[in-house]
Amino acid sequence: MLFAWLFISLCVSASAQEYHTIKGIVVDANTSAPIAGVNIIGKDLYAISADNGEFVIKNVTAGKHRFEITHIGYGHEHFTVEIGQNDVKGLTIRLKESITNLDGVELLGKTEKRKAQELSTITVGVDEEFLNKNRENSLMQTLKKIPGVSTITIGSGQSKPVIRGLGFNRVSVVQNGIKHEAQQWGNDHGLEIDQYGIESIQIVKGPASLVYGSDAIAGVVDIQPSKVPLPNSFSGEVNLLGETNNDLIGISTGVQGRKQHWFYRGRLTYRDYADYKVPTDRINYENYIFELHENNLRNTAGEEINASFSFGFISEKVKSETFFSNVNAKNGFFANAHGLEVRSSSIDYDRSNRDVDLPYHRVNHFKVTNNTTLYLDQHILELDFGYQNNQRDENSEPVPHGYMPTPSNSRERIFTKNTYSLNLKDTFSPNDKHNVVLGINTELQNNNIGGWGFLIPAYNRYSAGVFVYDHFKINENFHLQGGLRYDAGLMETKAHFDWFQTPIKNPDGSTSYMYLQRSQGKSLEFGNLSGSFGLSYIHQNTTFKANLGKSFRMPLANELASDGVNYHMYRYERGNMNLDPEQSYQLDIDIDHSTSKFNIGISPFVNFFENFIYLNPTPNYYETLQIYEYTQSKVFRFGGEARAGINVTPMLRLNASAEYVYSRQTSGPKKDFTIPFSPPLSGLFSASYQFKDIAFMQSTQVTADFRVTAAQNDIVPPEEVTDGYQALNLSANTKIQLFGKGKPAQLRIKLNNVFNTEYYDHTSFYRLIDVPEPGRNFSISMTVPF
């Protein structure tokens, strides 16, 4: 009987054993940024922090439990938790950075933040969490909250980057090591990049042509390759998006998996949107009033279908991934922006807000890239290969112009661009003080044209550059970097004649009919030597940086040889074959102080262009259209960004930033004027509050952004003054556990332009024709992982 009683007591005790859960987050002790991949190890208990720093330890019994915290680049920590009758939630673990030396051998693992601190260039890292929380209609609109970064917007679905007031081909966009090549020279040409599936971006402010080559004279938007999936894993996500301003619906689905050495990824994205609404019912263009139906900016609807797939191999010595992507879009242009002839058009633009009528463009960008890395003792060899095909059709109503008869179709301009890229880089460390990089970049472009409208000629462009770069570590906290680069380039423009005849008066009074020549077959060679030198000094929580660099940019085909009507701008544009490559000298300084409670920083710069290229209006006209000609001038610029943030409480954080650019032409026909598209003084103030878990909602965060922008009175004719404005945006992010113990879904709600403010962005494409920014927009999106 005694044995039976003891047996029953043990069974009851075992069945009554309660298990609890520990939930917490691991953050950087200085910046409070979440840390992913941290190991939390206890006796028979284990967890790894997720991308947002959060971790969950389940099946924890009552009593005291001691855990060890480890992560490369951070010091080891321990903590003890006593479990009573309740679960433990809201635990915050703060790790301090550490570089460990063992018998003279330095631990190579460093955090991304530490790596950025040791570089002299002014870089900003953008992670997946930022991209998800701030996602807008295009990649560059998503990034515009970063101080010093703005956009040239073209409708609701397109935009191009501007860094410190410089855009177009002065900013390089790099994806998977290959420079993105499309028709980015055009005011109305956006980026053909799917912003879904991007995990991290490095933004370089200032000259970066030492490593990236021509077109990086103002900076770089470097889209980093995604992390390799874990062994024997499979995961995916579904992104859903809806917006009210333009009735947008979108879905993007991605998957990735890996066995032991082989891995793959795939993604499909679809977006369909209607005309977007503006907070006005009329547009004044060239002193003609266009009435808007229900505030719709007519014919700005569009559709996008994107697909990508990659496969790769990874081992101790080799990592290689081949990436295929295709971005296809059809977008309408605001009908009244395509000249005044639309007044006599028979198209009923207000029949539907979802159809895409003339004028519109259709773009297809196909890309194949391969990134291969070989780890050979002290050398790391990186080989990048890329092929891109960009097909762009611009369609408008066929109407006669001057001596040109009515065309037989709507295909005004056709651009077919093929680009072949090859990069080779060798990184090696001859000793523990130097990290040397040798590299070669080559690129071949072939751009053919078609259609009945001529603006730029067909051309071939060749470029090649070689560079050497050294990162010299004086000690753990004092670093020097410097390098030299030489580039050679060749531009071959092809002859082009009108498809129609123009009457020409002969000296004897007779008339001849000729096919006028619009461009000549010419070959232009360019060469340039550039370099940079900088330092980085880290003193406790403060980082000091300084970098002096000389960079360059080869002239583009439109700058050299354009000769036609640009109806999107309603002007006649003419190139200049005598242009020299742009050469720029810039000094960048950055001072950043960050603690666990607050951060403050400033990034001033001084910049001088020997021969800045821009499109200058002349007093001459061609068939009632004003002629603009490309010319060059000396330009002096300075400005910078300031930023500050403070954790008022563990739940409340306040941030503020400001940016300013001053530009002045010191020679040329527009001496003492600024340069086009110069952004005004602007400030962004934000407040974020992190709530405790509420019912089924976890890590709920509410953010208010208030942007204050000054008037831009400093303009270059024919630009007009842009008034200042204030705009308020609200957003909320939360996590919802939908499927048991899996990763939670992320729900995001945003309300942009809360008060439906009518304002104008000085760097917007449509601002030139008096079109304000979009009105109030409510959006809701969700990411569901599986």
Side-chain angles (χ1 to χ4, degrees):
M1 289 294 293
L2 180 61
F3 176 77
W5 181 83
L6 289 173
F7 178 77
I8 293 173
S9 298
L10 289 172
C11 291
V12 171
S13 176
S15 63
Q17 177 71 62
E18 293 185 3
Y19 292 97
H20 300 275
T21 300
I22 300 174
K23 293 184 178 180
I25 185 173
V26 187
V27 300
D28 187 290
N30 288 327
T31 66
S32 295
I35 307 174
V38 178
N39 297 298
I40 302 100
I41 306 171
K43 184 177 181 181
D44 299 325
L45 298 170
Y46 179 70
I48 299 178
S49 63
D51 291 341
N52 59 4
E54 295 181 356
F55 66 90
V56 177
I57 306 174
K58 297 183 179 181
N59 301 323
V60 184
T61 59
K64 286 187 178 181
H65 296 271
R66 179 178 172 83
F67 294 90
E68 181 182 12
I69 316 300
T70 63
H71 188 66
I72 292 177
Y74 288 92
H76 288 199
E77 296 288 344
H78 296 84
F79 74 93
T80 302
V81 175
E82 184 169 358
I83 302 295
Q85 296 180 349
N86 300 318
D87 294 343
V88 175
K89 297 181 179 180
L91 184 66
T92 300
I93 300 172
R94 300 183 180 276
L95 296 185
K96 295 182 179 180
E97 291 185 352
S98 174
I99 299 178
T100 305
N101 289 279
L102 300 174
D103 297 328
V105 179
E106 182 181 81
L107 186 65
L108 296 179
K110 293 183 181 180
T111 65
E112 294 300 320
K113 175 178 176 291
R114 177 72 189 195
K115 292 178 184 178
Q117 285 179 315
E118 293 178 358
L119 294 176
S120 63
T121 52
I122 314 304
T123 60
V124 177
V126 180
D127 59 16
E128 191 173 15
E129 182 181 5
F130 177 93
L131 295 171
N132 288 334
K133 286 184 177 180
N134 298 281
R135 196 177 306 281
E136 297 289 347
N137 279 323
S138 67
L139 176 61
M140 288 315 306
Q141 289 171 335
T142 299
L143 298 176
K144 67 181 180 181
K145 287 182 66 174
I146 298 172
V149 178
S150 55
T151 66
I152 295 177
T153 54
I154 309 108
S156 60
Q158 301 181 76
S159 61
K160 61 178 59 185
V162 175
I163 297 180
R164 291 173 166 174
L166 299 178
F168 300 95
N169 272 66
R170 295 182 180 92
V171 175
S172 282
V173 178
V174 177
Q175 186 177 28
N176 297 331
I178 297 297
K179 186 165 63 174
H180 183 76
E181 288 290 355
Q183 304 292 340
Q184 58 264 40
W185 55 269
N187 288 359
D188 54 327
H189 304 171
L191 290 179
E192 297 87 17
I193 293 178
D194 187 355
Q195 65 172 320
Y196 289 97
I198 297 175
E199 293 185 1
S200 65
I201 299 175
Q202 287 290 330
I203 297 177
V204 182
K205 300 178 187 178
S209 60
L210 175 65
V211 176
Y212 295 92
S214 178
D215 298 354
I217 198 168
V220 177
V221 178
D222 191 349
I223 302 171
Q224 304 286 306
S226 299
K227 295 190 293 290
V228 175
L230 296 175
N232 302 310
S233 66
F234 173 81
S235 61
E237 65 177 23
V238 177
N239 296 276
L240 304 172
L241 173 64
E243 297 185 353
T244 60
N245 181 279
N246 59 352
D247 299 332
L248 179 144
I249 54 174
I251 180 171
S252 181
T253 302
V255 297
Q256 64 176 9
R258 176 180 167 186
K259 290 297 185 180
Q260 187 63 36
H261 297 293
W262 292 93
F263 61 93
Y264 65 90
R265 318 178 208 266
R267 179 168 293 274
L268 289 173
T269 300
Y270 175 78
R271 288 162 33 103
D272 184 276
Y273 50 90
D275 300 340
Y276 73 89
K277 296 179 178 63
V278 292
T280 185
D281 56 6
R282 56 178 56 193
I283 301 295
N284 185 339
Y285 175 42
E286 295 286 339
N287 296 320
Y288 186 85
I289 303 298
F290 293 103
E291 302 290 341
L292 300 182
H293 177 65
E294 298 180 351
N295 300 98
N296 288 317
L297 198 65
R298 57 176 65 96
N299 204 48
T300 55
E303 180 184 54
E304 299 175 20
I305 303 175
N306 309 323
S308 63
F309 176 78
S310 72
F311 65 91
F313 176 85
I314 184 170
S315 66
E316 292 183 359
K317 295 293 185 179
V318 179
K319 182 176 72 173
S320 181
E321 184 173 13
T322 302
F323 182 86
F324 302 84
S325 70
N326 194 80
V327 175
N328 184 279
K330 180 180 180 181
N331 309 95
F333 291 114
F334 173 44
N336 304 120
H338 205 265
L340 298 177
E341 292 149 344
V342 73
R343 292 176 296 178
S344 59
S345 173
S346 60
I347 298 176
D348 184 3
Y349 288 103
D350 299 324
R351 175 186 56 198
S352 169
N353 68 341
R354 297 202 83 89
D355 59 356
V356 179
D357 296 309
L358 297 169
Y360 70 86
H361 76 171
R362 188 186 298 275
V363 180
N364 192 87
H365 193 98
F366 175 73
K367 182 186 297 185
V368 181
T369 61
N370 175 268
N371 310 113
T372 298
T373 303
L374 303 176
Y375 302 93
L376 306 173
D377 296 328
Q378 293 183 337
H379 291 261
I380 300 177
L381 294 179
E382 297 176 72
L383 177 65
D384 303 321
F385 169 78
Y387 167 73
Q388 300 173 71
N389 174 268
N390 183 271
Q391 177 73 28
R392 178 183 175 89
D393 289 16
E394 298 183 4
N395 293 261
S396 63
E397 286 191 83
V399 294
H401 288 285
Y403 296 107
M404 183 186 75
T406 303
S408 60
N409 56 58
S410 64
R411 302 184 74 182
E412 180 185 354
R413 290 198 290 257
I414 303 171
F415 303 102
T416 304
K417 183 177 183 180
N418 294 291
T419 304
Y420 303 86
S421 305
L422 180 65
N423 303 324
L424 177 62
K425 186 167 66 174
D426 178 18
T427 303
F428 66 97
S429 300
N431 52 54
D432 61 352
K433 293 292 185 179
H434 291 272
N435 191 50
V436 181
V437 180
L438 297 174
I440 298 173
N441 310 112
T442 62
E443 187 178 82
L444 165 63
Q445 296 179 18
N446 170 256
N447 197 31
N448 294 309
I449 63 172
W452 47 263
F454 176 82
L455 183 57
I456 68 170
Y459 67 86
N460 294 322
R461 181 183 177 183
Y462 309 88
S463 62
V466 58
F467 66 90
V468 59
Y469 173 85
D470 184 23
H471 184 142
F472 176 42
K473 182 180 70 174
I474 297 178
N475 56 51
E476 294 296 344
N477 295 318
F478 191 16
H479 299 257
L480 300 178
Q481 298 96 41
L484 291 173
R485 178 186 181 98
Y486 182 78
D487 284 89
L490 174 65
M491 172 70 78
E492 295 179 346
T493 60
K494 299 180 181 180
H496 183 86
F497 294 83
D498 282 339
W499 59 273
F500 56 90
Q501 293 183 334
T502 298
I504 302 295
K505 291 290 185 180
N506 296 319
D508 60 2
S510 62
T511 300
S512 300
Y513 292 85
M514 301 179 60
Y515 295 98
L516 294 183
Q517 185 171 1
R518 304 295 288 278
S519 68
Q520 299 178 354
K522 280 194 173 183
S523 295
L524 300 175
E525 296 181 357
F526 303 96
N528 183 81
L529 179 66
S530 57
S532 71
F533 176 79
L535 62 87
S536 170
Y537 178 66
I538 305 169
H539 178 67
Q540 297 179 352
N541 295 323
T542 306
T543 303
F544 303 89
K545 294 184 178 185
N547 193 79
L548 178 64
K550 173 184 180 288
S551 54
F552 85 107
R553 183 181 70 87
M554 289 173 53
L556 305 176
N558 62 307
E559 297 166 333
L560 293 168
S562 60
D563 188 18
V565 178
N566 187 343
Y567 292 105
H568 294 298
M569 305 301 297
Y570 208 60
R571 65 194 183 198
Y572 195 96
E573 299 179 3
R574 184 170 290 160
N576 182 356
M577 281 288 187
N578 296 317
L579 295 176
D580 295 320
E582 284 184 342
Q583 304 213 34
S584 171
Y585 302 86
Q586 183 159 322
L587 172 64
D588 286 280
I589 296 174
D590 182 78
I591 303 174
D592 182 87
H593 180 78
S594 298
T595 70
S596 60
K597 293 293 184 180
F598 74 95
N599 70 280
I600 187 170
I602 185 171
S603 303
F605 74 92
V606 178
N607 174 226
F608 175 72
F609 276 88
E610 283 190 347
N611 38 24
F612 185 84
I613 301 173
Y614 70 101
L615 196 58
N616 180 52
T618 72
N620 303 317
Y621 284 79
Y622 177 86
E623 296 179 0
T624 73
L625 295 176
Q626 188 176 9
I627 297 176
Y628 284 60
E629 294 181 345
Y630 282 98
T631 188
Q632 292 184 293
S633 66
K634 297 181 185 297
V635 172
F636 174 74
R637 304 168 65 247
F638 71 83
E641 305 83 45
R643 58 198 178 274
I646 184 171
N647 295 323
V648 180
T649 70
M651 313 301 286
L652 176 63
R653 179 169 178 83
L654 302 179
N655 288 288
S657 63
E659 53 191 274
Y660 175 72
V661 175
Y662 171 90
S663 302
R664 188 65 62 219
Q665 298 186 47
T666 59
S667 68
K670 289 295 186 295
K671 183 180 179 181
D672 297 328
F673 283 98
T674 186
I675 59 177
F677 286 105
S678 293
L681 172 66
S682 181
L684 179 65
F685 305 90
S686 67
S688 298
Y689 189 84
Q690 182 85 39
F691 290 88
K692 296 181 179 179
D693 293 352
I694 305 172
F696 56 87
M697 296 185 295
Q698 306 170 9
S699 304
T700 302
Q701 185 181 69
V702 175
T703 302
D705 293 327
F706 186 63
R707 183 171 291 277
V708 179
T709 301
Q712 181 54 289
N713 300 310
D714 191 14
I715 59 172
V716 54
E719 282 187 334
E720 295 183 358
V721 170
T722 302
D723 294 332
Y725 66 88
Q726 301 84 43
L728 176 66
N729 300 324
L730 300 176
S731 65
N733 303 273
T734 190
K735 296 178 181 179
I736 302 175
Q737 196 71 47
L738 294 179
F739 308 112
K741 300 180 181 180
K743 289 185 178 180
Q746 299 182 44
L747 177 66
R748 295 172 289 273
I749 299 174
K750 300 182 70 175
L751 183 62
N752 287 348
N753 196 357
V754 174
F755 299 111
N756 203 35
T757 304
E758 181 181 355
Y759 68 94
Y760 298 83
D761 187 340
H762 193 74
T763 62
S764 170
F765 168 67
Y766 281 151
R767 185 264 309 173
L768 301 174
I769 54 174
D770 198 38
V771 173
E773 293 302 293
R776 184 185 297 113
N777 181 40
F778 176 80
S779 66
I780 181 169
S781 63
M782 177 174 280
T783 300
V784 182
F786 59 85

